[in-house]
């Protein structure tokens, strides 16, 4: 970046000065005067002031940085990939000694350990290599031996499985073991965390752009504008088919007598696969449609009329919401194959998607049909 290259010793000195400067500028009071070897303030006005205390965390590994963290840091953020348990325990002793020498309580420095490993049925030879119970045992040891106050997981190739296992099995077991060892009340069981998309579209916060009189447009321009509505109508029709498939499956479950028949069970299973096909196809088509809009149509609109930037930004944000809803619908369809009772979740996800898409399509048509026509944009 064109800055002066510092030696390791100079870098540590500069970091210590930077911590001092940050804290001074976050603290209300008189203009700040600071004369360091690397950073200088000559009466700088402090602020803007944070709404809450901001901790400065340092990912220290070597002795001098660990000593700096002990003297000045609010938190320590080592990583098991660079500092395995044996090393991190030795590093913690250096940090603790530096904190005590500076008159600080070492326990006041929070410690978060970045970790990663492998979940497997049988214990392996390395750190965090085995079943969830082994992970919990090893992480609990780090709480008491090193004073770790939390852990951040770097998941492996099967990220969703790793995250769920860590959140649902490892973390609760560590909390329970720590509470038991310390004689604390057992942690209150938390409700399962459900990953949900952003709530409903913020319809009240939608920007609107001025429109021109459609009467001034030529027939060819009007045709270009109507094409967007025609594309949306195609997706509206697809959504109705998905809704119909959901209701067919739900009706099959309601007839419990018919389910006793192997033939009818086969029919219900076929309906499941039909519904899954509809969901998968619709997800794929709508994703492609939004990708084309994000990468082609929206840039073309902005190139010809930059005043539409707030509208385009809002539409792009709504695409993200819809993408998460599609993921939820896909997951519900997959769950339906294993559990017939999941049809209610599928129905709820479809209803929510219909509501959000209907609103999104209407807003996009209201704001872009006229500009697309006026600007001669082909989609």
């Amino acid at each position: 970046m064109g800055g002066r290259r510092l030696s390791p010793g100079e870098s540590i000195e500069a970091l210590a000065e930077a911590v001092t400067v940050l804290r001074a500028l976050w603290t209300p009071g008189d203009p700040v005067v600071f004369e360091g070897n690397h950073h200088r303030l000559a009466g700088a006005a402090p602020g803007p002031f944070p709404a809450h205390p901001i901790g400065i965390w340092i990912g220290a590994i070597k002795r001098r940085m660990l000593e700096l963290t002990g003297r000045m840091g609010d938190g320590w953020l080592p990583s098991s990939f660079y500092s395995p348990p044996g090393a991190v325990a030795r590093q913690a002793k250096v940090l603790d000694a530096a904190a005590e020498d500076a008159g600080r309580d070492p326990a006041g420095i929070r410690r978060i350990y970045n970790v990663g490993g492998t979940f497997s049925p049988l214990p392996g030879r390395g750190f965090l290599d085995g079943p969830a119970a082994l992970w919990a045992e090893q992480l609990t040891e780090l709480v008491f031996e090193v004073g770790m106050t939390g852990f951040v997981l770097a998941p492996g190739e099967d990220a969703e499985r790793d995250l769920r296992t860590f959140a649902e099995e490892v973390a609760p077991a560590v909390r329970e073991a720590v509470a038991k060892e310390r004689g604390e009340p057992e942690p209150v069981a938390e409700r399962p965390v459900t990953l949900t998309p952003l709530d409903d579209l913020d319809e009240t916060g939608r920007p609107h752009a001025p429109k021109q009189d459609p009467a001034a447009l030529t027939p060819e321009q009007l045709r270009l504008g109507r094409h967007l509505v025609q594309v949306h109508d195609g997706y509206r029709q697809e959504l109705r088919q998905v809704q119909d498939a959901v209701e067919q499956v739900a009706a099959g479950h309601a007839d419990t007598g018919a389910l006793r028949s192997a033939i009818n069970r086969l029919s219900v299973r076929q309906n499941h696969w039909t519904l899954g096909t509809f969901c998968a196809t619709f997800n794929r088509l709508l994703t492609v449609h939004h990708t084309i809009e994000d990468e082609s149509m929206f840039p073309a609109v902005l190139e010809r009329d930059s005043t539409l930037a707030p509208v385009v930004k809002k539409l792009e944000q709504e695409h993200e919401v819809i993408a998460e809803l599609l993921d939820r619908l896909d997951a519900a369809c997959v769950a339906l194959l294993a559990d017939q009772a999941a049809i209610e979740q599928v129905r709820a996800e479809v209803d929510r998607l219909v509501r959000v898409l209907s609103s999104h399509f209407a807003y996009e048509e209201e704001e872009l049909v006229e500009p697309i026509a006026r600007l001669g944009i082909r989609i």
Side-chain angles (χ1 to χ4, degrees):
M1 304 295 254
R4 182 168 63 93
R5 185 174 294 279
L6 304 178
S7 68
E10 291 172 331
S11 296
I12 294 171
E13 182 183 50
L15 176 59
E17 291 182 7
V19 171
T20 301
V21 167
L22 284 172
R23 291 208 172 109
L25 293 177
W26 286 339
T27 304
D30 296 331
V32 181
V33 176
F34 178 79
E35 186 69 24
N37 293 326
H38 305 277
H39 303 289
R40 299 173 183 83
L41 298 177
F49 306 116
H52 55 79
I54 297 178
I56 297 178
W57 293 56
I58 302 172
I61 296 177
K62 296 185 179 180
R63 174 172 292 275
R64 293 183 63 182
M65 283 288 286
L66 290 164
E67 291 174 343
L68 170 63
T69 305
R71 292 195 309 271
M72 305 183 70
D74 298 301
W76 178 39
L77 194 65
S79 170
S80 65
F81 304 104
Y82 302 101
S83 300
V88 84
R90 294 190 294 271
Q91 292 163 354
K93 293 179 180 179
V94 175
L95 184 147
D96 291 345
E100 292 173 350
D101 290 344
R104 305 180 69 198
D105 180 4
I109 303 173
R110 295 187 63 195
R111 302 151 197 237
I112 301 293
Y113 199 25
N114 289 315
V115 299
T118 303
F119 286 106
S120 57
L122 300 176
R125 296 183 178 181
F127 176 59
L128 300 183
D129 183 7
L134 175 66
W135 280 56
E137 179 183 343
Q138 292 178 340
L139 295 183
T140 301
E141 290 177 359
L142 287 168
V143 172
F144 293 110
E145 294 179 5
V146 183
M148 290 299 174
T149 54
F151 301 95
V152 175
L153 175 68
E157 293 183 0
D158 193 344
E160 182 175 353
R161 183 204 64 174
D162 288 357
L163 288 168
R164 290 192 178 279
T165 303
F166 190 82
E168 296 174 358
E169 300 181 42
V170 177
V174 173
R175 293 191 186 104
E176 181 179 354
V178 170
K180 183 177 180 180
E181 181 69 21
R182 292 175 175 170
E184 300 171 351
E186 291 190 10
V188 177
E190 299 178 356
R191 291 178 58 192
V193 176
T194 302
L195 300 178
T196 61
L198 300 174
D199 283 333
D200 301 340
L201 304 177
D202 181 15
E203 297 171 322
T204 60
R206 283 170 166 166
H208 297 276
K211 309 294 189 302
Q212 294 189 11
D213 185 358
L217 300 175
T218 67
E220 174 59 17
Q221 288 176 317
L222 292 172
R223 186 189 66 78
L224 291 176
R226 285 196 298 269
H227 184 56
L228 178 64
V229 179
Q230 292 168 349
V231 171
H232 286 172
D233 285 343
Y235 289 108
R236 293 182 178 107
Q237 176 63 28
E238 292 287 342
L239 261 181
R240 285 192 287 271
Q241 292 187 37
V242 173
Q243 288 179 300
D244 289 343
V246 169
E247 296 308 319
Q248 290 176 25
V249 173
H253 291 323
D255 187 359
T256 55
L259 287 177
R260 296 172 185 169
S261 165
I263 296 177
N264 281 327
R265 282 200 300 271
L266 181 61
S267 299
V268 169
R269 187 179 305 149
Q270 182 61 47
N271 283 340
H272 286 188
W273 283 109
T274 302
L275 176 56
T277 301
F278 272 126
C279 291
T281 302
F282 183 81
N283 287 6
R284 183 173 64 254
L285 293 175
L286 188 60
T287 300
V288 170
H289 170 61
H290 282 175
T291 301
I292 292 173
E293 287 189 338
D294 291 340
E295 297 181 358
S296 179
M297 188 181 80
F298 290 167
V301 168
L302 293 178
E303 183 180 357
R304 293 168 173 81
D305 189 350
S306 60
T307 64
L308 290 165
V311 170
V312 169
K313 181 178 179 180
K314 178 62 175 173
L315 289 170
E316 290 174 336
Q317 292 171 345
E318 293 186 359
H319 282 183
E320 296 177 3
V321 177
I322 293 166
E324 294 186 50
L325 289 173
L326 289 172
D327 287 342
R328 287 172 57 92
L329 175 58
D330 182 68
C333 287
V334 171
L336 181 61
L337 296 175
D339 181 9
Q340 296 178 3
I343 185 61
E344 292 303 320
Q345 183 64 30
V346 173
R347 175 186 275 157
E349 299 299 344
V350 169
D351 290 344
R352 189 175 189 184
L353 182 62
V354 168
R355 175 172 51 78
V356 169
L357 269 179
S358 297
S359 175
H360 173 75
F361 284 163
Y363 172 61
E364 185 172 356
E365 291 166 6
E366 176 187 359
E367 295 302 318
L368 293 188
V369 166
E370 185 276 332
I372 287 172
R374 170 171 46 87
L375 301 172
I377 297 173
R378 300 182 181 275
I379 58 175

